[in-house]
Amino acid sequence: MGALAIDIHKQEREFKHLTLSDINVVKYLILYRNKVDVTYGANTNIDINSAGDMFEFNQELVCLYASLDNVIGKIELNEKELKLLNLIFEGNTIADVINVYELYPKKTAYRTLNRIIDNIVLENNKQWKEVLNNTVLSLDKK
């Protein structure tokens, strides 16, 4: 249930809202997580001179990825589908998944990723509808 506004025109201040209800946004978030999400795979820093692993990060983007992880946790994925997502999150391409890891044949890998993305969007929309229904119903009762 995340949403984010990003300046897509470089300092022109026109924002495009990114939500998990958009298939293209979810696909981008999955395929480029290793480049965009600086918090993915971060470990605790035990250096006493440093406050943590991150010095600068986009809080909204981190929240959007947290929402993505939350939605992924709510949909039912089998072990191969989870492995596919984790390999992509680590920076592997679909071609790597097909050729190096031999997890899926070519067409099946793309279909599986698209099905996962569709399920994420559907679950996100379902969660939004539940929140809206609960909010509207509670307002009607008062």
Side-chain angles (χ1 to χ4, degrees), residues 43-129:
N43 297 323
T44 304
N45 188 344
I46 58 172
D47 183 9
I48 61 170
N49 298 319
S50 178
D53 288 340
M54 261 72 55
F55 294 100
E56 186 177 324
F57 59 90
N58 184 327
Q59 294 175 358
E60 291 87 3
L61 194 58
V62 171
C63 290
L64 189 59
Y65 271 110
S67 296
L68 176 66
D69 290 339
N70 182 27
V71 173
I72 289 172
K74 293 190 186 260
I75 62 175
E76 293 183 23
L77 299 174
N78 63 35
E79 287 182 38
K80 282 180 79 173
E81 291 169 336
L82 282 172
K83 187 170 183 176
L84 172 70
L85 276 181
N86 287 326
L87 287 171
I88 293 172
F89 287 164
E90 292 169 1
N92 295 293
T93 63
I94 297 291
D96 292 338
V97 171
I98 295 165
N99 299 325
V100 177
Y101 296 98
E102 299 177 353
L103 189 63
Y104 287 106
K106 184 176 183 177
K107 288 183 180 180
T108 308
Y110 286 104
R111 281 190 215 136
T112 302
L113 180 60
N114 288 333
R115 188 174 61 248
I116 292 170
I117 292 168
D118 290 341
N119 288 337
I120 289 169
V121 170
L122 288 172
E123 178 62 29
N124 180 68
N125 292 342
K126 178 182 158 192
Q127 288 180 16
W128 271 109
K129 285 177 186 175

Side-chain angles (χ1 to χ4, degrees), residues 4-19:
L4 168 68
I6 291 188
D7 183 359
I8 60 171
H9 299 288
K10 297 184 181 175
Q11 310 266 334
E12 293 175 6
R13 301 298 182 233
E14 291 185 25
F15 291 93
K16 176 173 172 47
H17 292 280
L18 303 179
T19 69

Side-chain angles (χ1 to χ4, degrees), residues 4-39:
L4 168 68
I6 291 188
D7 183 359
I8 60 171
H9 299 288
K10 297 184 181 175
Q11 310 266 334
E12 293 175 6
R13 301 298 182 233
E14 291 185 25
F15 291 93
K16 176 173 172 47
H17 292 280
L18 303 179
T19 69
L20 297 180
S21 295
D22 185 348
I23 290 173
N24 292 322
V25 169
V26 173
K27 188 172 193 173
Y28 173 84
L29 290 172
I30 289 173
L31 292 177
Y32 298 102
R33 184 171 195 164
N34 69 315
K35 295 176 183 171
V36 177
D37 184 12
V38 295
T39 62

